[in-house]
Amino acid sequence: MASPVDILFHNAVAAFQAGNPADAERVFEQLLSAQPRHVAALNVFAILLTQLGRLAEAEKYYRRALEINPTSDTTLYNYGIVLKTLNRPAEALQRFSEALAINPTAAEAWNNRGTVQNDLKRYADAIADFDKSISINPNYAEALCNKGKNAVRACVV
């Protein structure tokens, strides 16, 4: 028999997946009011807020999730995406690096870390990150493209 919190989580995720962000938000808030340390709810709610463009709010939920479980590479990665979008590249770089320390096989994290390195004008480091991403997934078009664009910048500088 599912607990009331489990039912709330299921309902919130179902509303999110059905494209009903207002309903999902309402249920996530109800769930987190009852159980503020529900890591899965914190993470999925932060993803919803990110998709809605409410990045400052999403950041709060990622931070809370990491206080409870600091070793989630997925949370660290998603938090890095939010920080990058908020134009906080040094913090984003830290989160991507922490995620990669836990899961060094995440091609997307290497690619996104490379884009942040590029933003910080660390072109050689960016190319190294793109190369790592491509070594994990040789068909990763975005990393291949980013490497090419970055190589041009590195030559111009």
Side-chain angles (χ1 to χ4, degrees):
M1 181 171 185
S3 74
V5 169
D6 291 338
I7 293 168
L8 283 173
F9 183 70
H10 172 77
N11 291 343
V13 170
F16 178 39
Q17 291 174 331
N20 298 318
D23 290 343
E25 182 175 358
R26 179 183 49 75
V27 180
F28 275 123
E29 286 176 346
Q30 183 181 358
L31 185 160
L32 290 168
S33 175
Q35 191 170 12
R37 296 178 57 84
H38 193 287
V39 175
L42 290 166
N43 277 292
V44 179
F45 189 32
I47 292 168
L48 170 66
L49 292 169
T50 301
Q51 289 183 356
L52 294 173
R54 293 164 49 191
L55 302 176
E57 289 176 76
E59 181 195 4
K60 291 188 311 189
Y61 289 95
Y62 284 129
R63 201 173 332 114
R64 283 175 52 191
L66 286 172
E67 288 170 3
I68 299 162
N69 180 13
T71 61
S72 169
D73 63 310
T74 303
T75 304
L76 288 161
Y77 172 80
N78 287 333
Y79 191 13
I81 295 291
V82 166
L83 291 167
K84 180 180 173 218
T85 307
L86 288 169
N87 197 29
R88 292 163 51 189
E91 293 172 82
L93 179 66
Q94 179 64 34
R95 295 300 180 222
F96 290 135
S97 297
E98 291 169 350
L100 287 164
I102 296 165
N103 180 8
T105 65
E108 296 83 3
W110 286 108
N111 179 62
N112 278 290
R113 191 172 93 155
T115 62
V116 171
Q117 299 274 28
N118 179 67
D119 293 344
L120 294 169
K121 299 186 183 348
R122 299 177 185 165
Y123 302 118
D125 292 335
I127 289 171
D129 285 349
F130 297 136
D131 281 341
K132 185 67 178 171
S133 179
I134 294 163
S135 75
I136 295 165
N137 180 358
N139 298 316
Y140 190 9
E142 186 177 344
L144 289 162
C145 237
N146 285 336
K147 181 181 177 183
K149 289 187 287 188
N150 199 275
V152 170
R153 286 186 191 100
C155 289
V156 173
V157 174

